[in-house]
Amino acid sequence: RLANTAIDGVARREADVRADIAKFAGSDLLCYRAGGPSELVGRQSAAWDPVLEWVAATLGIRLVLAEGVMPVRQAPEAMAAVARALEPHRAFALAALHTMTTLTGSALLALAVVARRLSAEEAWAAAHVDEDWQISQWGEDAEAAARRRRRWQEMAAAARLIELGTAP
């Protein structure tokens, strides 16, 4: 299905798909932090800070972090750097990147998978820090768990497409 999407949809709209992925970076999951409890704050930092450090080292940018869900504006230079990082990618890699971005809420995690900085499993775990913390506190909902398993299959397929050599 993902290959068909790349061929039939992304191949003719590469610039639009790049722009959509870059737009996600403006409100990337990794930039929105919990103010507490301390265990959740620690989990977020452990999972997300290394990715942000990699982004800083690789793209030469530091993103603005916020506590809570109030939107923050990222610097235009930062958004331009993310857009430049997407330029070399063509239809198949863009289809995979877009899928991973929408599933995780993070263009940065998707870029880290494509760059082989993170495995798909590591990116998936990082994207679900908050959810996993909630589960540890209150237990798991069967419907939510089934939905998460289905979404993981999509993530794994996107990562497999990258593994097959679609990244530049």
Side-chain angles (χ1 to χ4, degrees):
R1 184 172 48 133
L2 190 54
N4 286 336
T5 298
I7 293 166
D8 294 336
V10 177
R12 290 176 279 214
R13 302 182 41 246
E14 288 179 352
D16 292 338
V17 174
R18 279 187 200 95
D20 196 43
I21 296 166
K23 184 178 174 184
F24 264 89
S27 59
D28 203 276
L29 168 73
L30 306 189
C31 296
Y32 293 88
R33 305 299 180 98
S38 61
E39 182 182 343
L40 176 57
V41 170
R43 287 183 186 193
Q44 287 177 340
S45 291
W48 299 350
D49 290 352
V51 178
L52 292 171
E53 290 302 319
W54 170 78
V55 167
T58 304
L59 302 182
I61 60 172
R62 293 241 176 238
L63 296 173
V64 178
L65 305 183
E67 189 174 295
V69 295
M70 291 304 294
V72 294
R73 175 169 244 122
Q74 299 297 339
E77 300 80 23
M79 296 300 87
V82 172
R84 280 192 304 277
L86 295 167
E87 285 175 7
H89 299 289
R90 298 294 169 244
F92 282 88
L94 287 171
L97 271 160
H98 194 272
T99 296
M100 289 188 281
T101 297
T102 57
L103 288 169
T104 64
S106 175
L108 304 178
L109 290 173
L111 283 168
V113 172
V114 170
R116 292 170 173 77
R117 175 71 173 96
L118 292 177
S119 68
E121 293 84 356
E122 290 167 330
W124 188 252
H128 291 86
V129 167
D130 294 0
E131 184 178 327
D132 289 341
W133 184 82
Q134 290 291 336
I135 290 168
S136 75
Q137 301 301 302
W138 311 107
E140 186 170 43
D141 175 73
E143 252 182 68
R147 179 177 177 267
R148 184 169 168 174
R149 283 190 298 276
R150 286 189 304 274
R151 291 171 53 88
W152 162 248
Q153 293 304 314
E154 292 179 53
M155 178 76 172
R160 180 71 179 132
L161 194 58
I162 295 301
E163 289 172 12
L164 292 173
T166 62

